Structures are given as structure tokens and as C-alpha cells.
Amino acid sequence: MEQTVALGGLTLKNPVLTASGTFGYGTEASAFGDVRFLGGIVVKGLSLEARPGNPGGRIAETPCGMLNSIGLENIGAGRFVREFLPRLPWQETPVVANIYAGDYDEFAELAAYLADQEGIAGLEVNISCPNVRAGGARFGQDPDMAAKACAAVREKAGDKPVILKLSPNVTDVTEIARAVEDAGADAVSLINTLSGMAVDIRTRRPVLGSVIGGLSGPAIKPVALQAVYRVCREVNIPVVGLGGITSAEDALEFILVGARAVQVGSASFADPQLPFSLVSRLEELCEELGIESWEEFRGRIETE
Ligand SMILES: Cc1cc2nc3c(=O)[nH]c(=O)nc-3n(C[C@H](O)[C@H](O)[C@H](O)COP(=O)(O)O)c2cc1C
């Protein structure tokens, strides 16, 4: 079956992307597979200036998942463009820059700079990070703020697609999705991590240095699926589904409820080859299930 999908102006050779923050800057993965076979690479969240992130501990294992409070540590957009982007096969695999900013002007400046780079195929705007004090999830929890952040990026992104990354930590995710669609988003991706916490009864301290972090991994898949299902019924722009994907079966579940593409996140920590093996397994699974085209399968969940 032809695996190609169109995503808000991008053509992906298959629907498998890597999730931001779980695949470094894309170059680190070459030891585990050939990134040219992936549908796309979403790199670690970039800000205008380098950020040190949160104090440790920043990772905690949970039943069926993990908590992180990295706090968007990154080397800054300029260094990424100079040192890492030239080493990525961006001519063959779309490289999407995930971006984070503390205010609208900073979003605009960052978008203008990155959209101007030939090797950047699109921007994924993180308005859903639960691990930073300024900005972060606040942008994604208020429809007006989400729309303003989206518009600020859209205005400066030229012909590059803008994907808004949505938070599950809201009352109604469809409201935020509609707001960013109206503000010009070319696609949405969801979900980012769920707010979570771990404590140690012996030390009487929180496990994470920043006390509260974000939960990811298989534990959040049902939450992600329902969010993707609901958003797909509310918006006309493509939806990228993620949250707890560990197999081709999981990926197909997201596509069945309407996702155009999927991202592999924390599962890469347990199995760094997963994004690569998932591409070929997905092809086999389509064959096994007699799926002949994405159009015939996508969103065709029968609920009646
Ligand atoms: C260690 C870590 C770092 C992350 N960093 C980012 C980031 O920089 N930007 C972002 O939008 N999402 C970030 N995320 C969220 C993931 O991209 C993804 O939305 C989330 O983990 C849910 O997917 P998963 O269950 O497959 O991991 C991070 C997640 C983890 C575990």
C-alpha cells in the first residue's frame, strides 16, 4: 500500500514521525536506524536563546510510563541551525522544528528565523509544556492565548506549515483546537504530557526537582486516543496523534480515530529502533488487515 501522507503542505513518505524531546536533534539516532526512512523528524523544543532546563531529578519511572521535568533545556535555535541541521538529511526527510517561547513577540522572532532556513520543513509550536514557569502550558490552556501564539507564528512562517501542539491538561481540548484552526494553524498535534507528580515517602520529598512534571508513555494512550478522536471530529485541518505509541497497532488505532500521522515519543527510550521498525511493521500490518489506502481507513471508526 502507498504509505505517503499529506500534512498541511508537507508530503511525508509514511505517517511516522518522531516526537519532540525524545529524539534529540535527530543526529543522535543514526546509530539506531536510517532517518531517511522516517516520515519526518520533530526535533527537541528550541527557543531563541539556549535554556539550562529545570534542576534534577528530571525523570522518574512510573507504572507503564514516565514523568519528566526537563524544562525545555536546549542549545538555542541558532546553534541547532548551524551545528545540527546541516547534518540531517532534510532534503529527503522533513525536519520539523518544535518551538517554545515566553511571549508572542519571541514566538514571532523565532518563527521568522527558523522558517527562513531551507532545511526546516515546518514548525511545531509547543503551547503545552507543563514543565516551564513562563509561558508553556498557559498558552495552550486559554483559547485566546493559543490563537494569538498561533497567529504570531503563522504570520512569520511564510510558506512553511505551522502545527500547534496541544495540551491534554485542559477542560475541553476541542475548544483550543478550533481556536488555533481559526487563527491559521495548518495542523494540530496532540497530546503533550499530562501533569503528574511522584513523591518519596522515605525522604519526604518530591522525586522531581521541579515537583510537578509531565506523564508520558503507554499509561496515557487512552487519554490521547480520546483527545485525538474528539479533535478530529471538530476541525478540518490534519491532526497528528501521539501519546503512548509503542507499536504499529497503536499507530493504526490513532489513524482509525482520524489522525493523519503519528509521533513516537517515550517508547524510543526503551527501544531506540522503534521509530524505524514501526515504519516497516506498519506496512505489513496494513497488508495483513487488507487496508488499501489511508483514505479508506483513516477516521473510519464505527461508533454506531
Ligand atoms: C523527556 C521528554 C522531553 C520532551 N520534550 C518536549 C519538547 O521539547 N517539546 C514538546 O513539544 N514536547 C516534548 N515532550 C512531549 C513529547 O513530545 C510527547 O508529546 C509526550 O511525551 C507524549 O508522547 P509519548 O507518550 O509517546 O511519549 C517531551 C517528552 C519527554 C518524555
Side-chain angles (χ1 to χ4, degrees):
M1 178 192 122
E2 175 58 53
Q3 293 282 314
T4 311
V5 293
L7 181 70
L10 297 180
T11 303
L12 312 182
K13 52 176 92 74
N14 60 64
V16 181
L17 301 127
T18 59
S20 180
T22 62
F23 204 70
Y25 296 115
T27 50
E28 301 88 331
S30 57
F32 304 105
D34 189 338
V35 293
R36 288 173 305 175
F37 294 124
L38 297 175
I41 306 166
V42 184
V43 300
K44 172 68 190 162
L46 297 166
S47 43
L48 265 182
E49 304 298 333
R51 289 173 56 93
N54 287 329
R58 306 202 295 186
I59 297 280
E61 206 165 329
T62 66
C64 280
M66 62 181 279
L67 283 164
N68 91 82
S69 64
I70 306 296
L72 298 176
E73 173 182 351
N74 77 98
I75 56 173
R79 236 187 103 192
F80 168 73
V81 165
R82 288 190 302 276
E83 295 175 24
F84 289 84
L85 190 56
R87 289 158 51 200
L88 289 172
W90 53 265
Q91 296 92 336
E92 289 162 85
T93 301
V95 174
V96 174
N98 178 285
I99 59 171
Y100 161 78
D103 60 48
Y104 306 119
D105 290 342
E106 207 180 313
F107 262 129
E109 194 180 338
L110 189 56
Y113 172 69
L114 286 169
D116 211 28
Q117 310 301 326
E118 195 185 3
I120 303 278
L123 302 175
E124 182 181 61
V125 188
N126 182 1
I127 53 166
S128 43
C129 184
N131 299 325
V132 285
R133 284 213 174 80
R138 258 189 330 118
F139 286 117
Q141 285 168 338
D142 177 291
D144 290 336
M145 289 176 75
K148 279 189 189 132
C150 177
V153 174
R154 186 53 282 169
E155 196 192 331
K156 300 288 178 184
D159 59 357
K160 305 278 167 87
V162 173
I163 305 166
L164 269 286
K165 181 150 178 193
L166 307 183
S167 172
N169 304 313
V170 293
T171 309
D172 182 2
V173 69
T174 64
E175 194 188 356
I176 312 291
R178 280 196 307 269
V180 297
E181 179 180 39
D182 290 346
D186 299 286
V188 287
S189 56
L190 63 150
I191 58 174
N192 207 318
T193 54
L194 280 157
S195 288
M197 178 176 180
V199 296
D200 184 330
I201 51 168
R202 293 198 165 71
T203 60
R204 302 187 181 192
R205 294 192 56 79
V207 177
L208 299 174
S210 62
V211 185
I212 291 171
L215 181 67
S216 60
I220 72 167
K221 196 187 81 178
V223 178
L225 260 185
Q226 64 81 29
V228 170
Y229 168 72
R230 288 173 54 222
V231 167
C232 286
R233 298 177 143 224
E234 287 287 333
V235 298
N236 295 312
I237 49 177
V239 174
V240 181
L242 75 153
I245 293 178
T246 62
S247 66
E249 282 79 359
D250 290 342
L252 270 192
E253 289 177 18
F254 278 89
I255 296 171
L256 181 61
V257 302
R260 185 72 60 102
V262 296
Q263 294 180 3
V264 180
S266 320
S268 295
F269 295 144
D271 175 7
Q273 287 170 343
L274 186 71
F276 308 100
S277 57
L278 208 134
V279 170
S280 45
R281 180 66 193 126
L282 197 55
E283 269 190 73
E284 289 165 14
L285 192 57
C286 288
E287 181 112 15
E288 261 170 63
L289 299 179
I291 301 168
E292 285 172 1
S293 71
W294 287 129
E295 288 66 35
E296 168 231 310
F297 184 76
R298 184 189 309 122
R300 298 297 170 93
I301 174 93
E302 290 173 21
T303 52
E304 296 304 313

